[in-house]
């Protein structure tokens, strides 16, 4: 039976979920997104839109009244309000899962209680706690905001005792945690899905490169020994089994010097490091998310060909309209998100470079080095 899907957030993730939904008309009648930006990316591909803040209680109630099932593309949804509308619409992942994940301290506590490896961490309630924590972990350590922090925006690296007061003041009244610094050799992630019936799938491990704490490049599959990808897969599966959420989750991990895997962070939603699946895998993460929340059999996660994803980010040098980006090469898939205005490091689009027969990841990376200039964001004058 065809359902109405509500999404909290109508940015690029909501847009790509809405596009996947259009290909499943038998299951999804229409999509309604709640987003504060008029004509947000998801609305541009045909989703109806309620224009309001993501946490607006009245708007969440309206979305629940008008939808059969609700999901989100951002993790900062108001889990208490979502809980209160559960009688009106089915919500996946559940507000309880969201509540744990959206607080980094609760998330890490939950993981460690379930024997899932993470960096060492401590709750910080005062500057005294911070002094004590740093005595334990040493320098550098990371002071992190527990909530509403993404793309590294909520992190402060403390490198010496001189940073302590500055770091503490930086966060004002936010709830905090301290984390031991992990000298990782690689950042990787697993896109995992669990459907409402408990079926779990994990996409192949990918390698992530960040710039200014923002994801810049994803290499699928990750260039790691089989034992590392097998270990990451096991950790991701265990995590999905204990979390019990339904939907696609992005599980970010560190690979340490001695090939230990530690979870850095879980996102309860489709994830930027899974965009490659649009071209590389038999089922995209967006379709998989819909299958998971609708309780359908999950699709194949087979990686058909190596792929490199590169994010198109706004230039740090300007804010304003930009020259449209065009790519004509047939093995490069360009996806722009319909954002008119560029802002420094704003995610405006991405490209997927797909390996042709006989091409290796190294070949793709060489190609990418040339393409980067073609997709550089330039100001429209
Ligand atoms: P987060 O927003 O917490 O995911 O952190 C953003 C980035 O900061 C990560 O992608 C890592 O590059 C870095 N980072 C976060 N936590 C740690 C840690 N405990 N040790 C080393 N680097 C970290």
């Amino acid at each position: 039976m065809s359902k109405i899907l509500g999404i909290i957030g109508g940015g690029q993730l909501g847009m790509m979920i809405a596009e996947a939904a259009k290909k499943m008309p038998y299951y999804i009648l229409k999509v309604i997104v709640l987003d504060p930006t008029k004509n947000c990316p998801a609305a541009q591909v045909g989703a109806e839109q309620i224009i309001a803040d993501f946490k607006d209680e009245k708007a969440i109630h309206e979305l629940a009244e008008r939808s059969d099932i609700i999901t989100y593309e951002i993790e900062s949804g108001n889990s208490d309000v979502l809980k209160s509308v559960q009688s009106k619409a089915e919500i996946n992942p559940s507000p309880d899962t969201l509540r744990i994940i959206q607080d980094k301290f609760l998330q890490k506590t939950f993981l460690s209680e379930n024997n899932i490896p993470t960096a060492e961490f401590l709750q910080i309630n005062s500057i005294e706690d911070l002094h004590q924590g740093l005595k334990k972990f040493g320098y550098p350590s990371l002071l992190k905001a527990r909530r509403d922090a993404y793309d590294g925006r909520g992190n402060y690296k403390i490198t010496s005792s001189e940073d302590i007061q500055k770091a503490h003041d930086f966060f004002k009244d936010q709830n905090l945690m301290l984390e031991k610094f992990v000298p990782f050799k690689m950042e990787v992630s697993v896109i995992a899905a669990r459907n409402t019936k408990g079926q779990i799938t994990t996409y192949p491990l990918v390698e992530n490169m960040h710039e200014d704490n923002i994801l810049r490049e994803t290499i699928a599959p990750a260039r790691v020994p089989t034992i590392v990808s097998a270990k990451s897969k096991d950790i991701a599966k265990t995590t999905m089994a204990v979390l019990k959420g339904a939907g696609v989750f992005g599980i970010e991990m560190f690979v340490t010097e001695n090939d230990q895997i530690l979870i850095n962070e879980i996102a309860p939603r489709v994830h930027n490091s899974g965009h490659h699946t649009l071209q590389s895998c038999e089922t995209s993460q967006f379709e998989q998310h819909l299958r998971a929340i609708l309780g359908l059999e999950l699709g194949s996660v087979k990686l058909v060909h190596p792929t490199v994803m590169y994010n198109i980010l706004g230039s740090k040098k300007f804010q304003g309209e930009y020259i449209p980006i065009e790519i004509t090469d047939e093995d490069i898939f360009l996806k722009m998100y319909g954002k008119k205005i560029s802002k420094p490091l704003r995610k405006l689009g991405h490209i997927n470079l797909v390996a042709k027969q006989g091409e290796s990841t190294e070949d793709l990376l060489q190609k990418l080095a040339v393409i980067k200039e073609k997709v550089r964001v330039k100001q429209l004058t």
Side-chain angles (χ1 to χ4, degrees):
M1 216 214 7
S2 207
K3 293 190 169 163
I4 298 176
L5 173 71
I7 310 177
I8 301 199
Q12 64 268 20
L13 301 179
M15 172 192 206
M16 290 183 270
I17 295 173
E19 285 172 328
K22 273 201 234 172
K23 295 184 194 152
M24 301 167 75
Y26 182 75
Y27 297 105
I28 298 170
L29 187 64
K30 67 173 174 180
V31 174
I32 308 171
V33 297
L34 188 164
D35 194 285
T37 310
K38 205 169 168 232
N39 200 26
C40 63
Q44 291 180 36
V45 297
E48 286 178 22
Q49 183 179 0
I50 298 170
I51 301 174
D53 188 81
F54 306 119
K55 292 186 184 176
D56 185 315
E57 222 174 306
K58 214 171 128 235
I60 294 172
H61 276 272
E62 184 189 336
L63 185 68
E65 302 268 352
R66 290 170 57 187
S67 311
D68 298 306
I69 176 160
I70 287 185
T71 191
Y72 18 88
E73 60 133 41
I74 46 151
E75 52 269 61
S76 61
N78 185 332
S79 61
D80 290 335
V81 178
L82 284 169
K83 224 179 157 122
S84 74
V85 298
Q86 261 175 322
S87 54
K88 293 182 185 153
E90 188 181 335
I91 301 176
N92 281 316
S94 75
D96 288 329
T97 304
L98 180 66
R99 192 185 62 84
I100 296 170
I101 291 186
Q102 66 187 184
D103 180 326
K104 286 185 180 181
F105 177 72
L106 292 186
Q107 185 189 127
K108 289 235 157 78
T109 304
F110 178 82
L111 291 173
S112 62
E113 280 171 2
N114 285 286
N115 298 316
I116 297 168
T118 67
E120 284 184 68
F121 64 97
L122 279 171
Q123 186 173 12
I124 299 294
N125 291 324
S126 65
I127 189 110
E128 289 75 35
D129 285 355
L130 186 53
H131 281 283
Q132 288 304 322
L134 287 162
K135 265 192 204 144
K136 187 167 178 216
F137 294 159
Y139 299 99
S141 284
L142 282 153
L143 187 61
K144 294 186 170 185
R146 286 172 52 172
R147 293 178 67 100
D148 293 342
Y150 58 94
D151 290 341
R153 263 173 264 200
N155 293 353
Y156 198 113
K157 191 172 171 184
I158 302 180
T159 53
S160 75
S161 59
E162 281 163 31
D163 294 341
I164 300 177
Q165 191 66 47
K166 266 187 285 176
H168 195 257
D169 293 348
F170 176 78
F171 289 107
K172 300 208 174 71
D173 295 326
Q174 295 182 70
N175 290 332
L176 302 173
M177 65 183 284
L178 186 70
E179 229 175 78
K180 190 167 174 164
F181 187 82
V182 179
F184 55 80
K185 66 175 177 193
M186 191 186 279
E187 291 194 75
V188 293
S189 58
V190 174
I191 303 298
R194 182 177 175 280
N195 74 6
T196 50
K197 296 174 181 141
Q199 185 195 0
I200 294 171
T201 59
T202 56
Y203 284 88
L205 187 72
V206 297
E207 190 178 331
N208 296 320
M209 267 86 120
H210 295 85
E211 255 174 52
D212 298 299
N213 280 317
I214 294 182
L215 182 69
R216 188 83 224 212
E217 230 168 283
T218 294
I219 300 172
R223 295 165 297 173
V224 293
T226 320
I227 176 100
V228 171
S229 39
K231 252 198 264 181
S232 323
K233 186 177 172 155
D234 281 349
I235 289 176
K237 280 196 159 165
T238 309
T239 306
M240 293 304 283
V242 294
L243 257 180
K244 295 199 174 72
V248 158
F249 290 62
I251 307 179
E252 296 178 39
M253 305 169 179
F254 298 135
V255 183
T256 66
E257 278 306 328
N258 55 4
D259 284 345
Q260 210 194 342
I261 312 286
L262 303 174
I263 292 194
N264 170 38
E265 192 164 33
I266 305 174
R269 54 169 170 78
V270 288
H271 195 256
N272 196 167
S273 71
H275 290 359
H276 69 91
T277 61
L278 279 169
Q279 273 80 36
S280 67
C281 290
E282 285 181 349
T283 311
S284 80
Q285 65 164 344
F286 305 101
E287 177 183 336
Q288 195 78 315
H289 182 63
L290 294 172
R291 294 185 155 276
I293 62 175
L294 290 165
L296 301 174
E297 170 109 18
L298 296 175
S300 158
V301 288
K302 185 167 181 250
L303 186 92
V304 183
H305 25 229
T307 298
V308 173
M309 190 280 316
Y310 181 70
N311 267 343
I312 299 171
L313 302 179
S315 160
K316 285 187 202 168
K317 294 191 188 132
F318 76 93
Q319 170 160 341
E321 290 190 54
Y322 55 99
I323 299 173
I325 290 169
E326 277 164 30
I327 292 277
T328 46
D329 314 50
E330 59 171 24
D331 50 347
I332 300 175
F333 296 83
L334 171 72
K335 178 81 192 158
M336 295 304 292
Y337 307 145
K339 299 178 187 176
K340 274 199 134 152
I341 300 297
S342 173
K343 294 179 188 168
L345 302 177
R346 185 177 203 196
K347 288 176 181 167
L348 299 173
H350 72 262
I351 48 171
N352 279 336
L353 274 77
V354 175
K356 289 193 239 171
Q357 192 74 33
E359 265 185 334
S360 66
T361 298
E362 301 313 317
D363 296 330
L364 290 179
L365 290 173
Q366 275 183 17
K367 239 188 222 175
L368 177 63
V370 180
I371 301 296
K372 278 181 183 176
E373 180 50 30
K374 275 200 199 170
V375 296
R376 197 159 62 81
V377 177
K378 299 180 195 105
Q379 189 159 20
L380 187 71
T381 46

